[in-house]
Amino acid sequence: MGDMALYQAQEMVSAPRTTNSMISTREAQEVQAAVFMAKQFPRNENESIARILRSCDRMGLAMKATYSYPKGGSKVTGPSVRLAEAIAQAWGNIQSGVVELEQRDGESTCMAYCWDIETNTRECKIFVVKHQISTKNGMKVLTDPRDIYELVANQGARRKRACILNIIPGDVVDAALERCNKTLSAGNRNMPPLIDRLRDITGHLQKYFSVPLASVEKYYGYPLDAFTEMDFQNLVGIYNNLREGGAKREDYFQLPKITASEDEPEPDSKESAAPKSGKKGDAKQVSISEL
């Protein structure tokens, strides 16, 4: 019995090693196969650019193509995570993603990467995400695995976007943004009146991020009925950035002071059906293209 127990113990120790070895071998084979296929079927850049521009003809993508946030008294805009992902898919022979390398002591060490398999050009960023978020009452430590996952995914998506944009040629990205702007301009002819779309997007900001209309109007400096088409597109960019976790609502808007704690349950009323601010996972369920 002693020999049998020793044998079983050795088998239990060697099993994880065998499994890890098999996983490593399989991953190495997948990389070799990807490199082989990329060499056998190199991208045709003209066809890839044509695919990217066709993707930008879709109103759903064009509406989510940019983000916007304030910095130094001005507004910064650029291609969003969704546009970067669409460009990478259409460009071809590209692998990108976010990997959690380690999780301990209330933080996650992660790596975002983008690899052009055909040219063997690789961009990666290693970053640390602390399991905490800023609230009106100070820093709140996250313990729920879903909240931690969403926090890591939000921060990882922005790093992945940066990696993709460092790999894709800049003129290709500029052409995609220009085509998205043309798509928006052409699509607006068949869309509801501007004031109705403005009411929809401000309603989404109120519902999912508790940003009242007065705060939006104060941010722009004039009432909603004076907003232009450019203001609408900029507001959509702000909403997309909030939804992707690229900024906090306080980065844009001056919000009314609330004495009650954010962590306390809201009174049972019809108005309390709206989720609390900062629950970006709920906002992701809304398609901005429906506006």
Side-chain angles (χ1 to χ4, degrees):
M1 291 297 291
D3 292 340
M4 178 61 68
L6 179 60
Y7 173 76
Q8 291 176 345
Q10 292 174 340
E11 286 294 312
M12 292 175 65
V13 171
S14 62
R17 295 177 181 174
T18 303
T19 301
N20 292 337
S21 177
M22 292 175 59
I23 293 175
S24 299
T25 302
R26 185 186 65 184
E27 291 178 348
Q29 292 174 345
E30 290 177 351
V31 170
Q32 292 175 355
V35 171
F36 175 79
M37 295 301 293
K39 296 297 184 181
Q40 292 295 312
F41 302 98
R43 76 174 61 89
N44 182 314
E45 291 191 359
N46 291 330
E47 292 180 358
S48 297
I49 292 174
R51 286 196 298 269
I52 291 172
L53 297 181
R54 283 198 300 271
S55 297
C56 295
D57 288 336
R58 302 198 308 268
M59 180 60 70
L61 177 60
M63 294 288 286
K64 302 176 183 178
T66 60
Y67 67 86
S68 173
Y69 68 90
K71 183 178 181 181
S74 62
K75 297 183 182 69
V76 177
T77 61
S80 67
V81 175
R82 298 294 164 257
L83 180 61
E85 291 173 342
I87 292 175
Q89 291 170 3
W91 188 243
N93 289 339
I94 290 280
Q95 290 187 3
S96 63
V98 179
V99 179
E100 187 176 28
L101 304 176
E102 185 181 29
Q103 183 179 135
R104 66 174 183 177
D105 299 331
E107 62 182 30
S108 295
T109 302
C110 308
M111 180 182 71
Y113 68 91
C114 181
W115 179 30
D116 188 330
I117 308 172
E118 186 175 323
T119 63
N120 197 27
T121 304
R122 185 179 178 90
E123 181 79 16
C124 67
K125 297 182 183 295
I126 296 177
F127 57 99
V128 175
V129 180
K130 293 187 179 296
H131 301 163
Q132 57 187 23
I133 57 175
S134 177
T135 69
K136 291 182 178 179
N137 300 319
M139 300 303 295
K140 176 183 178 181
V141 177
L142 301 179
T143 56
D144 188 286
R146 178 180 176 182
D147 292 337
I148 295 173
Y149 168 80
E150 291 178 351
L151 179 65
V152 171
N154 284 335
Q155 297 200 21
R158 299 197 299 277
R159 271 77 172 192
K160 183 177 75 170
R161 174 185 63 198
C163 291
I164 292 174
L165 297 180
N166 284 337
I167 293 294
I168 304 295
D171 60 314
V172 175
V173 178
D174 292 341
L177 287 171
E178 183 178 355
R179 179 60 68 90
C180 287
N181 289 333
K182 289 183 179 179
T183 300
L184 289 173
S185 299
N188 289 339
R189 300 169 189 166
N190 301 321
M191 295 185 71
L194 175 60
I195 188 62
D196 291 341
R197 286 181 280 132
L198 285 167
R199 287 169 181 156
D200 283 341
I201 188 63
T202 53
H204 280 64
L205 286 168
Q206 169 70 56
K207 181 177 181 180
Y208 292 101
F209 297 99
S210 299
V211 177
L213 176 59
S215 296
V216 176
E217 293 178 332
K218 187 173 183 179
Y219 174 74
Y220 285 92
Y222 37 83
L224 191 68
D225 56 10
F227 279 32
T228 64
E229 190 69 44
M230 185 176 296
D231 293 328
F232 169 74
Q233 294 182 19
N234 176 257
L235 198 56
V236 170
I238 291 175
Y239 176 86
N240 287 336
N241 202 34
L242 291 175
R243 186 180 60 176
E244 294 172 358
K248 299 179 294 183
R249 55 184 186 156
E250 291 82 4
D251 293 335
Y252 298 99
F253 309 108
Q254 294 183 16
L255 302 171
K257 295 183 178 180
I258 301 176
T259 56
S261 171
E262 285 187 349
D263 299 328
E264 293 177 0
E266 297 180 357
D268 185 14
S269 64
K270 295 181 179 180
E271 288 79 12
S272 65
K276 299 177 184 178
S277 67
K279 294 293 185 179
K280 292 180 279 296
D282 297 319
K284 290 179 182 177
Q285 301 174 3
V286 177
S287 175
I288 195 67
S289 61
E290 296 177 356
L291 296 176

